[in-house]
Amino acid sequence: MSASPVVAIVDSYGLSKIVSDEFQKRGAVLVRVQSTPEVPAAYRGAFDLSAYADNIVHRGDLEETARAVAAHRPVAVVAGGEIGVELADALSESLGLPTNGTALSAARRDKYVMIETIKRAGVPGARQLLVHDAAELAAWHEEFGGRIVLKPLRSAAGNGVFFCDHPDQSVAAFARISGQENVFSERNDGAVAQEYLRGTEYMVNTASRDGVHRVCEIWRTTRITANGVADLSDTVYLMPRNGPVQERLSQYAGQVLDALGIVHGPAHVEIKLTASGPMLVEMGARICGASLPYYAQTAHGTSQLDWTAEAYLRPEYFLDHHADETPEGRFCAFVGLVSPTAGTLNAYRGLEALKELESFSELKVYAQPGGRIARTVDDLSYPAVVILMHDSEETVLRDANTIRYLDGPSFYDVTPDPDPASVPAA
C-alpha cells in the first residue's frame, strides 16, 4: 500500500480537474469515482484519466461502489462537481470518513428544499413555490406580483433559469423546464419559482473542517440584460478579503453552511445583498466552478483550493490557521464574451485588441472559427473568456469595461442559423 494519502474524487471531469490537481500537488494518490454510468452533457468531451490510480464507475449499488473505494483506504471522499455531491456524502458516511452525512444531502442539491431548510433554521431566504402545475404557478405569480425567477430544481451554471414579469411568461418558462434534461442529463421533475432578489450578487467560497469554516475568497458579479435574459452574469471580480460588505457576506454564509450541514470540505455560496440584507441564491457543496479558485490562487497565492486540501490532508493545520489573514495580491476579473447570435462562426473581429489590454492575462476560446457558436444565455455558453489581472484595481475595472465596449454584434462574423419558419417542410 502506498504511504501517500489516498483521496477519492467523485466526478472529476475536465472542468473540475483543478481539485484533483491540488491534491496531487500535495502528494496524494487519486482515485476517481464516476457517479453515473453515462457522462452528463455538461462534462462531455475528452478528459485524462492518467492521474488516477483507479476509475470506479458507480452503477447504482452503493455497497459495491463503497467496497471498491474502500479497497484503496482513502482518507477522504470529495465531490469534484455538483452532480457528485450526493454520492460523495453517501460514500464518506458509509466508509466512516470525514463527512457531511446524507441527512441533508437533498437540501444541498434541490434548490427548493435548500431554501426551505435554511429558513427553518432561522436564516433569511426567498419566498418560493415548488411547481408541478402550471395553473398553480400562474395563480401564485398573479398573487405575488412583479418579477419572479423560475429554475430547475437540480441544475447549475444558470441552465434553465428564467426571469418572468407576468404569469403567462412563467407558464411558458415552466413548459420549457418541466420534463427536459438539465446540464447533468437528469430529467427535470417540476421547478421552483422564487421571488426576484434585487441587489448585487456575490460568490463566497469556503472550506470547512469539523464545522469550522474559512471564507477563502469572495467574488462580486456584474449583470447585463442580453439575449432575452434579464440578469445575465457577464463578469466576476475578485474582492479584497476584508471590508464591511465582506464581513456581512461571511457571517451570512456561515449561517447557511451550518443550516445545510456543511461540516467538512468546500462550498460555493451565491448571495445577493438586498435592501433587507443578504439572501441566498443557492449553495453548492463543492469547489467553485469556472476555475475561479485557481485564478484566486494565482492572484493572492492562496484560495479555496489550498484550504480544501488542508482541511482533508492537514486538519490540525486547518484548525490552527483557518483565521489567518489572506495575503494581499493582485486584482482579478473573469470576463465572459456574450454572443448575440447562433450559427456558424466564421471569425472573431478583435481578439487581438483584447490581448493588448494592460491587465490582460489569459484568453480562453471555446467557440472556434469554423464551428458552431450559440447565443450566450448562461454560464455554459460564453464563446470566450478573458482573464484580467493587475496590481491596480482601476486598471482591471477599466479593461473589463473596455471588453464590454468591444464585445457586441460587430465582434462576431457569423452565418446565422436559418429561420425555422423559412425552411420548407419535408
Side-chain angles (χ1 to χ4, degrees), residues 124-127 195 197-199 248 252 272-279:
R127 291 170 289 175
E195 66 174 304
L197 301 171
R198 291 193 182 273
R248 292 183 73 189
Y252 180 82
K272 278 203 174 183
L273 192 53
T274 72
S276 58
M279 297 279 276

Side-chain angles (χ1 to χ4, degrees), residues 315-398:
E316 297 85 1
Y317 178 90
F318 180 96
L319 293 172
D320 287 344
H321 293 276
H322 74 278
D324 287 1
E325 290 290 324
T326 298
E328 292 186 8
R330 288 177 290 171
F331 293 90
C332 177
F334 177 100
V335 186
L337 300 190
V338 179
S339 166
T341 189
T344 300
L345 176 63
N346 302 313
Y348 291 102
R349 303 186 182 105
L351 284 186
E352 292 307 311
L354 302 180
K355 297 177 183 178
E356 293 171 1
L357 294 169
E358 190 173 357
S359 63
F360 174 82
S361 177
E362 183 179 350
L363 173 66
K364 302 170 78 170
V365 178
Y366 302 117
Q368 298 291 340
R372 298 246 340 131
I373 190 170
R375 286 197 317 154
T376 303
V377 295
D378 56 29
D379 297 355
L380 296 175
S381 50
Y382 300 129
V385 164
V386 183
I387 309 301
L388 305 175
M389 207 169 290
H390 200 274
D391 292 337
S392 164
E393 182 179 24
E394 187 278 335
T395 302
V396 169
L397 294 172
R398 182 200 65 200

Side-chain angles (χ1 to χ4, degrees), residues 222-292:
T222 61
R223 307 265 159 171
I224 61 174
T225 296
N227 297 333
V229 181
D231 222 25
L232 181 66
S233 175
D234 69 323
T235 304
V236 293
Y237 297 91
L238 180 62
M239 298 182 70
R241 176 61 193 86
N242 296 314
V245 169
Q246 294 92 315
E247 184 62 27
R248 292 183 73 189
L249 294 167
S250 297
Q251 290 179 357
Y252 180 82
Q255 294 171 359
V256 168
L257 298 181
D258 291 341
L260 294 174
I262 300 295
V263 181
H264 299 284
H268 167 68
V269 191
E270 298 176 5
I271 302 169
K272 278 203 174 183
L273 192 53
T274 72
S276 58
M279 297 279 276
L280 180 65
V281 177
E282 56 190 60
M283 188 280 304
R286 37 78 180 175
I287 288 279
C288 174
S291 297
L292 292 183

Side-chain angles (χ1 to χ4, degrees), residues 102-176:
T102 56
L104 290 175
S105 281
R108 295 189 281 266
R109 283 296 317 279
D110 184 301
K111 300 180 194 309
Y112 174 80
V113 178
M114 180 181 296
I115 299 299
E116 292 304 301
T117 299
I118 70 163
K119 289 194 293 188
R120 281 196 300 271
V123 181
R127 291 170 289 175
Q128 60 176 3
L129 173 74
L130 179 62
V131 184
H132 288 290
D133 178 78
E136 181 186 21
L137 169 62
W140 183 82
H141 193 172
E142 184 71 38
E143 181 180 357
F144 184 86
R147 178 173 296 168
I148 69 166
V149 182
L150 202 71
K151 54 188 175 182
L153 296 172
R154 293 169 58 88
S155 195
N159 168 250
V161 176
F162 294 89
F163 300 90
C164 306
D165 293 318
H166 306 288
D168 57 343
Q169 295 175 338
S170 297
V171 169
F174 178 61
R176 293 179 63 181

